[in-house]
Amino acid sequence: MRDISRRTGLTAAAAALFTGAAATSSPASASPAAAASGPAGRTRSRRTLQRGVDAILATGVSGVLAEVQDAHGRTTARAGVADLDAAAKEPVPWDAYYRIGSDTKTFTATVVLQLVGEGRLKLTDTVERWLPGAIRGHGNDGRRITVTNLLRQTSGLNDYINGDSGEFTPDGYRRNRFRSQSPKEQLAAALDRPPEWLPDADDPAGERHWGYSNTNYIVAGMLVEAVTGHPWAQEVHERIIEPLGLRGTFTPGTSSYVPRPTATGYTYFPEQTRPTETTLGYGGGADGALISTTHDHGVFLRALLGGRLLRPAQLAAMKTTVPVRDWIPADGVRYGMGIAWRPVAGRADGIWFHGGTSLGCVSEGGVTPDGATAVTAAAFTLRLDDAETHERQARVTLRMVDEALRPGAG
């Protein structure tokens, strides 16, 4: 599942630490990824990051890993354990793989905008132009949805994930953790209901009514295949992963496994007092499939905002935003194309970010507008046991990102 934490009104909060999940604070200099900046700056950055990681752990997660990187190097921090049930309480591996969930959307939007920059696709093209008849029925109409609407989440399409709430239980997870869906099946599930709205008939690309839907990026992935003749995964690999040397980033296809090294993922399902191990699970497609590392994710964000992946016109289009509602708990969020912006105290230009949620893992990050500095993090527990707990986890995680990117953080 993608982005449960921000779109449902549940965000993060927590109670006490789990038994046996005591913090294992490791400065960046003790890790293989030690920062290379000056001593004073490195120490200041390390302290700030470790404080943030420890605060996330204290919300009741099992383990956390985070990294800040810039032109001078990288600083990493971790806390908690890799597996609550293991006899030896090993820390989260420094190079742990994890599902980045809806942070995948930024990769997908980048590929689509590269195709726009190459003149192979237009932002004003309708879905009907490339996928005739794909969006029809129950009032849904692909002739009223453009590429812009998909990437900016202004299409009005329902989210294919919003299914039977009775399945959102430990037993439901176990029944479905090896079940994959094709993009056509996911789209069909979304089209079973009337749209939330239809974009303006006179100017669909100019629609500003916003509503988060994973379906938008499932369709975006289908468009990539229609335009290029290649699978979405191939285009992401050849256009982003390979050129940037992201050796820890890949599309797992229909596999439900995360490779080692990793940490065990846990989910507190609604009204459950104990966590369920949820490491296994199908991650979706162009909306949320990618597996990565904190380092690779940061490299990607810095390259993107630094202008290495998109031409100026397409990067400007990506950063053209609409107001967002219900992005809890952040205020002032605006959504662009596969990336969002929010204000940060002490930064007049704010930061760019997205975030991703899967069962058992919360991916969060942020990057300065010039791509100079990025922070990325993975928390290996998703707290959905109650709204307060969930919101606290999200709020504390966003605070860590903001503080790590605030000038002069210390």
Side-chain angles (χ1 to χ4, degrees):
M1 298 186 101
R2 261 76 57 205
D3 279 356
I4 305 162
S5 62
R6 294 181 187 79
R7 326 303 173 199
T8 64
L10 292 171
T11 48
L17 272 93
F18 299 127
T19 302
T24 307
S25 300
S26 298
S29 57
S31 79
S37 54
R42 180 167 64 246
T43 300
R44 183 171 62 248
S45 175
R46 183 190 311 140
R47 285 199 303 260
T48 299
L49 189 62
Q50 190 65 56
R51 281 200 305 266
V53 164
D54 290 341
I56 296 170
L57 185 75
T59 67
V61 305
S62 56
V64 190
L65 180 66
E67 176 173 322
V68 177
Q69 60 177 267
D70 58 22
H72 302 291
R74 47 198 288 213
T75 298
T76 57
R78 62 183 175 183
V81 297
D83 189 331
L84 293 176
D85 297 324
K89 301 302 181 186
E90 298 292 336
V92 176
W94 287 114
D95 53 350
Y97 291 100
Y98 60 96
R99 292 187 180 89
I100 67 170
S102 277
D103 276 315
T104 300
K105 290 179 173 64
T106 314
F107 286 76
T108 299
T110 300
V111 170
V112 173
L113 287 166
Q114 285 181 348
L115 294 173
V116 172
E118 294 163 9
R120 302 172 68 180
L121 182 68
K122 294 180 180 178
L123 288 173
T124 53
D125 284 350
T126 64
V127 174
E128 184 72 12
R129 158 78 173 80
W130 291 99
L131 302 169
I135 297 182
R136 294 288 177 85
H138 297 283
N140 294 283
D141 190 348
R143 296 169 297 184
R144 294 269 293 273
I145 298 173
T146 67
V147 176
T148 291
N149 298 125
L150 296 175
L151 300 186
R152 202 173 281 157
Q153 305 275 13
T154 59
S155 72
L157 288 171
N158 282 288
D159 200 326
Y160 75 90
I161 287 177
N162 294 335
D164 181 5
S165 60
E167 289 294 291
F168 198 50
T169 64
D171 287 342
Y173 157 73
R174 293 186 184 98
R175 283 194 298 272
N176 295 312
R177 57 186 172 171
F178 288 102
R179 178 176 176 265
S180 63
Q181 291 178 298
S182 70
K184 289 184 178 179
E185 289 173 325
Q186 292 165 325
L187 180 56
L191 299 180
D192 273 346
R193 290 159 288 151
E196 295 290 330
W197 70 87
L198 283 172
D200 187 337
D202 295 328
D203 181 21
E207 178 65 54
R208 297 178 65 79
H209 190 176
W210 185 90
Y212 195 92
S213 174
N214 290 286
T215 309
N216 286 318
Y217 278 77
I218 290 298
V219 179
M222 296 170 69
L223 282 178
V224 169
E225 182 167 351
V227 173
T228 66
H230 301 145
W232 161 82
Q234 178 179 340
E235 293 296 319
V236 169
H237 182 88
E238 294 181 352
R239 291 171 174 272
I240 300 175
I241 295 174
E242 190 171 26
L244 293 181
L246 307 182
R247 297 183 179 180
T249 303
F250 63 95
T251 55
T254 59
S255 173
S256 295
Y257 294 91
V258 178
R260 292 184 181 276
T262 188
T264 302
Y266 299 94
T267 298
Y268 281 78
F269 286 94
E271 302 180 2
Q272 298 290 313
T273 59
R274 295 181 60 82
T276 299
E277 181 183 332
T278 52
T279 307
L280 299 178
Y282 174 63
D287 61 324
L290 284 176
I291 290 173
S292 190
T293 64
T294 52
H295 179 65
D296 274 13
H297 190 196
V299 170
F300 165 69
L301 290 175
R302 292 187 62 227
L304 176 62
L305 272 294
R308 292 172 54 196
L309 294 174
L310 293 175
R311 299 177 185 183
Q314 280 69 56
L315 183 57
M318 174 178 266
K319 296 168 74 172
T320 300
T321 61
V322 294
V324 164
R325 55 183 175 83
D326 299 333
W327 197 298
I328 300 172
D331 296 323
V333 174
R334 299 181 64 87
Y335 200 90
M337 294 184 175
I339 199 165
W341 177 93
R342 70 172 181 266
V344 172
R347 287 205 67 93
D349 50 358
I351 66 166
W352 292 92
F353 74 108
H354 198 284
T357 302
S358 305
L359 290 182
C361 189
V362 178
S363 171
E364 195 59 81
V367 60
T368 54
D370 59 359
T373 307
V375 57
T376 48
F380 290 90
T381 304
L382 176 62
R383 297 296 302 254
L384 298 175
D385 36 335
D386 64 73
E388 180 183 356
T389 301
H390 182 70
E391 183 166 340
R392 185 178 171 213
Q393 182 181 344
R395 185 172 59 247
V396 170
T397 305
L398 293 180
R399 184 185 305 143
M400 180 212 69
V401 172
D402 292 353
E403 290 180 354
L405 292 180
R406 188 174 292 124

